[in-house]
Amino acid sequence: MTDELRYRIGLAGPSRVGKSSLVVSLLRDSREQLGGLPLQLTAADLATERRVAKTTTELDNSLLRGEFNSDALAGNVEAFTFQLRLAAKRSSTGVRIELMDYPGKWFNPRTRPDDSVADWAACKDFIADASVLLVPVEAIGLMENNNAWQRAASKQLLAIEEVEKTAEWWATARGSYHDEPALLLLCPVKCESYLADNLNTTDRATELHDAVRAMYAGVVKTVRANAPHAEIAYCAVDTIGCVNLVRAEWTEVGGQPHISAKYRIIGPGKSMSYKGIDDLLTLLLRHLVDAQHRALEIIANQRERAANDAKSLAIRNEGLIGNFLLSISGRRRKRVYRSGVQREEADRTHQQVDELNQVIKELAERPLSTKRVNTW
Amino acid sequence: MTDDIGKRIEGIVAERARLAPLVRADAQRWRAVLRSLLALSQQLEQQPRQEEPHAVRDELVASAQVAAEEVEALLESFERFATRLLRSTINVGVSGSARVGKSTLLQTISGLADNEIPTGADIPVTAVRSRIFHSDTRSRALVSFHTYASLRDEVLAGYHRDLGLPPAPATLEAFRAFPYPQRPEDLPGGEPSPTSVVLLRRLLAMRDALPSYEDLLTGDEREIPLSELRPFIAYPTHEERMRPGHGDHRYLAVRDARIECPFPHADVRHLGVLDLPGLGELMVGAEAHHVDGLRDEVDAVVMVVRASATTAYLRESDARTLTLLQESRGGVSTARDFVFILVNDVAVDRSRLAALRHEIDLKINDGVPDQYFQVLQADAANHGAVAAGVLGPLLAHLAERLPVMDAQIHAAVSDSASGLATRIEAIARTAMAHAERVRRSAGVVDEGLQDRVNTLRGHLARDLTALVADISAKYASTEDGEYADAVEYAYRGVLGWTEAGFGEGRESWQARALDRCVEDHNSTPFLSEELNVLRVTITQRFAAMDDFLSARVTDLYARVVAVLSARLGELVPADTEPAKALRQLRELLTDPVEPSPSLAKAVEDLLEVRLDFRTQLYPRVRDALAECNLEVAGPSGQPQVQVIAAPTEAGVDRMYRAVLDIAEQTAFRTRQQLLTLALEPGQALRAVTEFFADAFIRSRDSKRDLLRLARGHRDRIWPDAFREHDLAVTTASAITAAAESVVATVTETRKAP
Ligand SMILES: Nc1nc2c(ncn2[C@@H]2O[C@H](COP(=O)(O)OP(=O)(O)OP(=O)(O)O)[C@@H](O)[C@H]2O)c(=O)[nH]1
Ligand SMILES: [Mg+2]
């Protein structure tokens, strides 16, 4: 019997919206990210480790030679499930986190290749099973639209209809597990030009926030309706950070609206300047730790009960004959032993719960950026 | 004859000469009356046709015209009287049937010989009415000739009229060729009268004789020696007539003959005698006219009668002549003062003389001798007898009676003048009343104007409201494609320019950059300058939107002008440049006489709309443009240099790309910012339009001001609409003025000279 619980984080976003970048930004340098907390988020398998390393390199490469090259990060061609472990530092047990990244073009029926229908079905199953729905929001299209056509185009670019549908069945699935926490995360990305807390100076945070709220109103509504207990949060993330939008151009590529953006590097320009990742992680961890805490409490209680039962069984007086037989057969010894083991398990779980209580307290105290984070 | 009479006659002539200008002055005043009366009648006729006053008007016109004719007649009387007064001689007309000794009497009085003034035994000799005046020094004849036209009008026309022929031929040639009936039976009107037989014969003779006198139809006046005068004033003698070509008919071309010679009775210097030919015989129209003129040309007429060889009775023609003379005495109250009968005491018929005188007393003077006509008796051929029996009593009578006659004539003319004046004044007053009626009936027009202004306001309100709605619809929609296009155009312009190496080419730019940075050992001065230049250029490129913005304003003006010109007509010419049309309207509205301040303000405000990049949009994109600076505010507000590069090839390459990025970013942000302002120019125009509409049609004073405008420029707003009314009012005023002037001129005539 393993104590490890499994949590799933589902992604909802069309191609090029910034899913992979967001995931990698979350995972890279994870120790650093969790800074100070008695928690560890680590790759749980080699594939994940490799994948993170590869994508990190690709992302870093987009900043070569003083220019930002958005082609450096290739779009995914197949789904990949990141296997992660979140554990309290001193504890061998923890939670298993699974995060599935997939080619965004599967997400949108308009761009979904015919031979990917089965793949997409698997993705849907995964998402339905996830307690967190992470929705990256492409901020450029949202912010740089000036007319009706462009507004419609940005809606299409973000595949709002599809996000709404996804949110609907995700929430429906969540709705049936009232005691399991659920979290919808709306994460604007490519938004560094609109926030003034990193390297840029233009502050359009409120505008961005309002635009997201307006654009995803339907998503929020359906989640509210189908999973009233779900938490909903907004968190703007700079995955690159050190760039600034020079200009953006709406075009149509293969019948699909497309916005091509030109950036310039600002600041020293040598490396990424993440921002908001901490906030995102905090939000995620609060959710996960809370979930784990609740689960562990249940287990601890069960184990406490089992240990007590075993102990009473071990010391139970079964009468002269009964006691003799227990002793002769060694069963009492076994019972005593079992009782001791169960006591230990129960105590350990209690200890884990105590540890998580501490983490929860710390997580709750961690400050969140007011510009980037908002909850519904 | 005494010197005394000569002196008195002289005195009479002098007194007349004094009076004449006064009469002329009266005539002059009456001529003014005539002019004003004609003007009045003309004004009345011009009055636009309207139902009710129409009959009144027609009556007025008719009476004014009758009055005008009477004034003309009066003027003629004045003229005649003045002519009479202006004569320097006392003229005595000599009349009488043929063969009674008329010419003999003339010869006797004038001392002229038979070859000068012919007498004849059997046939009538005097063809031309000659006037003979005493002259101490001269002996001559002044003959004035007809032109064909005067011949036609004064002679032929009368014949044609009396014979029932068509109007006399217009030209000499036509006369020559005129198809006259050759026999009296062929004359129109059936059975010819004896008179017409004679008239036709004479007329044909005049035509047949044309070759003998046509050369003389010059209208000239010629002095002819008395010895050669005869053919010009007398019919051909019998012998002459017998000659081929019917002899000499030059007298036919003579209009008038004035003979001057020393009279034997030189003590009466101011004497003239007039031969009055054929009077009482055959009167053709033209001759009748001459008789009419007698009363002014002569002061007295001596009708010569003579007992004929067979009878002592008065002839039929003598009685007719007397009647005519009686009638022609004009203002002279009694014929006794004017007509004298001279019984020619010719030896051969002395036996019948007494019988003749008796007959005259009985028939003409009704049994009382000299009751109606004074009868003289003398042998016309006897100088002494004529002097004592004719000239003596005649001149004595005239010396006494002429002033009376003149006064009578004057009184008669003055009487008819004052009667006429009263009538004319009445006409003028009636005309004034009529004009007043016309004016009153036209008075309702001001209400008509008010109605029209109300309707106009209604239309303007509707149109301007529609315009506001239209402008709102155009600019209130979420999209303003034209504005976006204008922004896009400016933006593309900037990008095109940056892509072309800021207009100079990348290499040139970089070379310049390298030079400067090496020289300065620093990139900052160059970049700082360069970015400033770029910012200015980008700003200017976006300012090109002014064309678009001003087109918007012009478009608005054009729409407003379209609305206004549809309702205000040519006050707001639709074919002029809109702003100019509005400025013209503003001028009209600030008219110092009838200003419309509220409307003027509305138009003024509309004209002052400023819609341009610099004032409207620039303040809103300043921040975006400020990005194009080397130093910008860093994340924590501290100034931060955007680009630093080494003064090397690679450095300037990086610099170029950085500057390019900054420029493009500035342009992009400006564009995006401008696009968010898309609605503002439209909103501004919308507000302006609303404001204008409100001010123009809804403001407190706009009603009053619109009425003022309409009053001042009624006919330009509604051409034709008020024309009839105006005409009526104008005519009414003109009629009043004309009538007043008639009254004034009439009043003038009443003033004593
Ligand atoms: N400026 C900017 N660019 C970003 C950011 N995040 C992602 N990108 C760029 O967006 C592009 C797409 O990012 P991906 O993470 O590959 O997007 P995706 O959703 O995984 O796309 P698929 O794999 O096709 O589904 C890449 O070129 C990234 O460099 C960001 O925060 N800022
Ligand atoms: Mg991806």
Side-chain angles (χ1 to χ4, degrees):
Chain A
M1 178 182 179
T2 169
D3 283 347
E4 219 173 46
L5 290 166
R6 256 192 315 138
Y7 292 98
R8 285 185 164 172
I9 296 175
L11 279 167
S15 178
R16 309 312 289 154
V17 85
K19 294 183 297 298
S20 305
S21 313
L22 183 60
V23 170
V24 169
S25 311
L26 266 175
L27 303 183
R28 64 186 291 172
D29 314 322
S30 47
R31 232 152 308 193
E32 199 184 309
Q33 299 295 324
L34 295 181
L37 285 177
L39 283 174
Q40 280 187 318
L41 184 66
T42 50
D45 62 5
L46 193 57
T48 299
E49 213 166 327
R50 285 197 185 127
R51 181 83 186 187
V52 171
K54 177 174 173 278
T55 315
T56 303
T57 312
E58 279 174 6
L59 208 49
D60 288 346
N61 280 348
S62 61
L63 278 183
L64 286 179
R65 290 195 314 275
E67 265 177 83
F68 177 68
N69 174 15
S70 55
D71 290 337
L73 189 60
N76 295 44
V77 290
E78 54 193 10
F80 180 84
T81 305
F82 294 85
Q83 300 288 344
L84 307 161
R85 251 178 70 87
L86 176 69
K89 269 179 187 163
R90 285 177 296 275
S91 162
S92 52
T93 58
V95 285
R96 186 66 168 265
I97 297 172
E98 291 182 351
L99 199 158
M100 185 192 256
D101 189 15
Y102 53 87
K105 54 184 173 181
W106 295 357
F107 183 74
N108 193 340
R110 290 176 224 246
T111 53
R112 192 181 303 146
D114 293 343
D115 56 0
S116 314
V117 176
D119 295 323
W120 176 238
C123 293
K124 280 173 82 171
D125 287 347
F126 182 92
I127 292 167
D129 204 23
S131 68
V132 177
L133 183 62
L134 182 55
V135 183
V137 176
E138 211 270 18
I140 306 285
L142 198 60
M143 297 290 279
E144 307 295 345
N145 56 56
N146 303 111
N147 56 40
W149 184 88
Q150 290 176 1
R151 276 185 286 281
S154 104
K155 221 170 161 178
Q156 260 196 61
L157 195 72
L158 294 164
I160 291 297
E161 276 178 46
E162 215 48 38
V163 174
E164 277 178 18
K165 272 188 220 156
T166 308
E168 188 181 347
W169 44 255
W170 171 78
T172 310
R174 286 306 90 203
S176 33
Y177 305 105
H178 287 286
D179 42 357
E180 276 186 27
L183 174 64
L184 171 70
L185 268 170
L186 296 175
C187 286
V189 293
K190 311 191 195 176
C191 56
E192 59 283 312
S193 305
Y194 311 121
L195 293 156
D197 58 355
N198 196 354
L199 296 178
N200 282 301
T201 50
T202 314
D203 184 358
R204 292 172 69 188
T206 313
E207 206 184 317
L208 176 64
H209 175 250
D210 293 349
V212 172
R213 281 219 176 211
M215 188 66 101
Y216 290 85
V219 173
V220 171
K221 201 175 149 204
T222 188
V223 169
R224 278 267 174 278
N226 295 296
H229 69 295
E231 284 178 61
I232 302 172
Y234 165 96
C235 181
V237 176
D238 289 359
T239 58
I240 305 209
C242 59
V243 295
N244 192 353
L245 179 69
V246 169
R247 56 189 166 95
E249 215 82 62
W250 283 96
T251 50
E252 253 184 332
V253 178
Q256 276 290 106
H258 176 75
I259 188 163
S260 61
K262 182 184 174 189
Y263 298 90
R264 66 185 174 107
I265 294 189
I266 51 168
K270 294 280 183 277
S271 61
M272 304 290 178
S273 173
Y274 321 112
K275 200 80 183 187
I277 300 279
D278 291 0
D279 298 312
L280 180 58
L281 256 176
T282 307
L283 288 170
L284 269 177
L285 290 178
R286 278 182 186 172
H287 165 79
L288 292 172
V289 170
D290 180 37
Q292 173 76 344
H293 181 245
R294 286 200 217 177
L296 278 183
E297 252 178 359
I298 294 166
I299 293 169
N301 288 340
Q302 284 171 355
R303 288 189 175 164
E304 179 66 32
R305 243 191 335 271
N308 290 342
D309 288 354
K311 186 171 180 195
S312 57
L313 185 66
I315 58 167
R316 193 170 62 187
N317 187 355
E318 293 190 353
L320 198 64
I321 309 267
N323 289 343
F324 172 74
L325 282 173
L326 283 172
S327 173
I328 276 302
S329 63
R331 278 198 305 191
R332 180 164 298 276
R333 212 176 53 240
K334 272 187 189 162
R335 278 188 180 184
V336 171
Y337 172 74
R338 282 248 297 279
S339 147
V341 168
Q342 287 194 339
R343 175 77 267 151
E344 245 172 62
E345 275 185 356
D347 288 349
R348 200 174 60 239
T349 309
H350 280 306
Q351 192 193 335
Q352 282 177 357
V353 170
D354 286 347
E355 279 174 17
L356 281 180
N357 274 336
Q358 184 60 32
V359 172
I360 283 168
K361 213 178 128 220
E362 283 182 42
L363 279 173
E365 281 165 3
R366 260 174 88 139
L368 292 171
S369 158
T370 48
K371 292 267 183 202
R372 290 179 180 267
V373 182
N374 209 321
T375 51
W376 263 254
Chain B
M1 198 169 325
T2 60
D3 273 1
D4 180 45
I5 291 173
K7 283 223 178 67
R8 277 159 66 191
I9 297 261
E10 227 164 283
I12 290 168
V13 170
E15 175 60 16
R16 281 178 160 184
R18 193 187 65 79
L19 258 178
L22 303 180
V23 173
R24 278 264 154 92
D26 274 348
Q28 199 58 40
R29 292 195 193 98
W30 275 96
R31 228 165 263 127
V33 172
L34 179 61
R35 274 196 299 273
S36 66
L37 196 58
L38 289 175
L40 173 62
S41 136
Q42 204 177 343
Q43 284 303 342
L44 284 166
E45 279 184 316
Q46 274 175 7
Q47 185 202 335
R49 309 223 147 228
Q50 279 174 12
E51 272 320 304
E52 197 276 316
H54 188 45
V56 180
R57 194 274 308 258
D58 282 357
E59 225 167 88
L60 270 168
V61 170
S63 48
Q65 273 164 0
V66 168
E69 277 161 28
E70 287 178 58
V71 176
E72 275 177 54
L74 180 67
L75 279 171
E76 214 180 300
S77 307
F78 274 121
E79 246 347 283
R80 282 189 190 149
F81 186 43
T83 313
R84 177 188 176 93
L85 296 179
L86 278 172
R87 266 194 277 112
S88 54
T89 51
I90 301 297
N91 287 354
V92 176
V94 179
S95 177
S97 305
R99 320 289 327 121
V100 292
K102 221 166 23 134
S103 299
T104 307
L105 180 64
L106 289 173
Q107 282 182 0
T108 306
I109 295 174
S110 65
L112 291 170
D114 199 48
N115 65 333
E116 293 160 339
I117 295 191
T119 61
D122 297 305
I123 54 163
V125 287
T126 320
V128 172
R129 193 165 58 101
S130 38
R131 297 174 292 157
I132 309 159
F133 297 95
H134 166 76
S135 167
D136 284 334
T137 49
R138 278 196 293 258
S139 277
R140 62 169 185 179
L142 287 171
V143 174
S144 62
F145 293 94
H146 277 295
T147 58
Y148 174 71
S150 67
L151 179 71
R152 179 191 62 207
D153 295 344
E154 293 170 18
V155 181
L156 300 180
Y159 281 89
H160 273 250
R161 194 167 50 246
D162 289 1
L163 289 171
L165 293 171
T171 63
L172 181 60
E173 289 317 304
F175 176 50
R176 203 196 309 283
F178 195 84
Y180 286 111
Q182 290 303 308
R183 298 172 306 154
E185 304 88 273
D186 300 334
L187 281 167
E191 189 73 2
S193 69
T195 316
S196 53
V197 174
V198 178
L199 289 180
L200 180 61
R201 189 160 25 78
R202 280 204 210 157
L203 182 58
L204 287 171
M206 272 189 255
R207 206 258 299 270
D208 292 345
L210 200 51
S212 72
Y213 68 87
E214 62 180 307
D215 289 349
L216 296 172
L217 294 173
T218 55
D220 291 347
E221 189 181 67
R222 266 165 62 186
E223 191 177 320
I224 304 217
L226 291 179
S227 54
E228 290 166 29
L229 184 60
R230 195 182 184 285
F232 290 100
I233 57 170
Y235 295 117
T237 59
H238 186 68
E239 306 87 71
E240 284 167 341
R241 257 182 236 226
M242 291 303 110
R243 284 193 215 121
H246 307 292
D248 192 347
H249 291 278
R250 276 181 282 176
Y251 63 89
L252 285 171
V254 176
R255 197 179 183 187
D256 184 35
R258 178 190 169 92
I259 298 163
E260 294 169 5
C261 60
F263 285 5
H265 311 281
D267 49 337
V268 182
R269 316 175 65 87
H270 298 279
L271 186 63
V273 282
L274 274 71
D275 179 12
L276 308 174
L279 204 60
E281 287 181 73
L282 276 177
M283 295 303 298
V284 180
E287 291 173 341
H289 179 72
H290 282 162
V291 173
D292 196 37
L294 269 183
R295 69 178 118 137
D296 306 310
E297 286 199 61
V298 299
D299 297 295
V301 175
V302 174
M303 193 184 82
V304 186
V305 295
R306 172 184 170 178
S308 81
T310 48
T311 172
Y313 303 119
L314 274 175
R315 299 167 204 211
E316 194 66 19
S317 60
D318 290 336
R320 256 197 332 263
T321 304
L322 274 180
T323 312
L324 274 168
L325 288 173
Q326 158 101 354
E327 283 167 5
S328 71
R329 73 182 195 274
V332 177
S333 61
T334 54
R336 196 173 176 283
D337 281 337
F338 186 52
V339 182
F340 294 79
I341 296 170
L342 171 61
V343 179
N344 193 355
D345 185 5
V346 181
V348 284
D349 22 75
R350 193 146 296 148
S351 54
R352 285 179 293 275
L353 201 65
L356 179 61
R357 286 208 65 152
H358 180 72
E359 166 118 346
I360 291 168
D361 284 345
L362 198 69
K363 284 191 175 162
I364 294 173
N365 282 330
D366 205 12
V368 182
D370 292 347
Q371 178 176 222
Y372 300 127
F373 297 102
Q374 289 190 57
V375 181
L376 309 170
Q377 189 173 328
D379 178 358
N382 183 322
H383 281 269
V386 166
V390 181
L391 290 177
L394 187 64
L395 290 173
H397 178 86
L398 288 177
E400 191 179 319
R401 295 299 296 173
L402 266 183
V404 178
M405 283 193 271
D406 286 351
Q408 281 172 348
I409 295 172
H410 198 174
V413 176
S414 296
D415 278 359
S416 62
S418 74
L420 189 52
T422 308
R423 274 202 308 289
I424 290 173
E425 237 173 13
I427 291 171
R429 304 250 175 248
T430 314
M432 285 182 209
H434 168 68
E436 191 48 43
R437 240 186 341 269
V438 169
R439 204 176 292 113
R440 259 204 311 279
S441 74
V444 288
V445 137
D446 216 44
E447 272 167 44
L449 180 67
Q450 182 68 59
D451 284 351
R452 273 176 188 274
V453 172
N454 288 343
T455 312
L456 174 69
R457 252 170 75 84
H459 284 156
L460 279 175
R462 202 186 58 204
D463 292 356
L464 286 174
T465 308
L467 177 64
V468 169
D470 207 30
I471 295 279
S472 299
K474 178 168 178 186
Y475 297 134
S477 74
T478 42
E479 303 280 304
D480 184 346
E482 291 171 28
Y483 175 88
D485 287 349
V487 174
E488 195 63 20
Y489 182 79
Y491 171 63
R492 294 286 153 203
V494 177
L495 287 193
W497 169 74
T498 53
E499 270 155 27
F502 307 115
E504 66 176 301
R506 181 175 184 150
E507 265 147 50
S508 158
W509 192 93
Q510 291 191 355
R512 205 154 52 79
L514 190 59
D515 285 356
R516 264 297 292 281
C517 293
V518 167
E519 194 183 308
D520 293 345
H521 303 289
N522 190 347
S523 61
T524 303
F526 173 75
L527 285 170
S528 177
E529 274 174 35
E530 203 60 22
L531 284 167
N532 283 338
V533 170
L534 289 185
R535 189 181 60 254
V536 171
T537 310
I538 292 169
T539 309
Q540 279 166 353
R541 294 220 166 220
F542 276 103
M545 285 185 70
D546 279 348
D547 290 348
F548 159 77
L549 294 170
S550 72
R552 275 276 164 95
V553 175
T554 307
D555 173 66
L556 174 65
Y557 287 176
R559 282 158 178 258
V560 171
V561 164
V563 166
L564 295 183
S565 104
R567 299 300 173 192
L568 294 177
E570 58 171 86
L571 287 194
V572 189
D575 50 357
T576 316
E577 195 242 314
K580 198 174 154 203
L582 288 172
R583 280 197 297 275
Q584 281 178 16
L585 177 61
R586 183 189 53 192
E587 292 308 307
L588 294 179
L589 292 170
T590 45
D591 172 27
V593 182
E594 260 202 312
S596 306
S598 75
L599 304 189
K601 178 80 166 57
V603 174
E604 177 76 41
D605 287 347
L606 184 63
L607 279 168
E608 284 198 339
V609 170
R610 285 286 157 274
L611 200 60
D612 57 40
F613 180 81
R614 224 154 283 274
T615 53
Q616 234 75 32
L617 301 172
Y618 176 73
R620 314 287 298 270
V621 297
R622 283 190 61 158
D623 288 351
L625 286 162
E627 284 294 307
C628 200
N629 256 314
L630 186 57
E631 272 194 0
V632 291
S636 45
Q638 83 291 359
Q640 173 183 297
V641 174
Q642 293 208 71
V643 191
I644 301 170
T648 60
E649 294 271 352
V652 295
D653 192 58
R654 222 164 64 70
M655 237 193 254
Y656 178 82
R657 278 182 291 124
V659 169
L660 189 68
D661 281 348
I662 291 170
E664 285 186 0
Q665 187 176 45
T666 304
F668 178 72
R669 289 193 178 188
T670 305
R671 163 197 187 238
Q672 297 299 86
Q673 182 62 31
L674 283 174
L675 287 174
T676 68
L677 304 174
L679 300 184
E680 307 216 348
Q683 298 287 7
L685 289 181
R686 187 183 155 181
V688 163
T689 317
E690 270 169 9
F691 195 82
F692 174 75
D694 278 348
F696 209 82
I697 53 183
R698 298 192 190 96
S699 71
R700 198 160 45 86
D701 294 337
S702 71
K703 193 172 186 174
R704 177 201 68 195
D705 286 359
L706 195 62
L707 181 62
R708 285 186 183 175
L709 178 70
R711 231 185 353 241
H713 304 279
R714 211 184 50 193
D715 298 328
R716 296 174 69 194
I717 302 175
W718 300 285
D720 300 342
F722 289 91
R723 184 174 295 156
E724 238 170 57
H725 162 265
D726 279 0
L727 212 56
V729 170
T730 314
T731 316
S733 310
I735 289 172
T736 308
E740 279 166 357
S741 126
V742 167
V743 171
T745 54
V746 169
T747 309
E748 239 358 79
T749 66
R750 294 221 177 86
K751 285 190 185 151

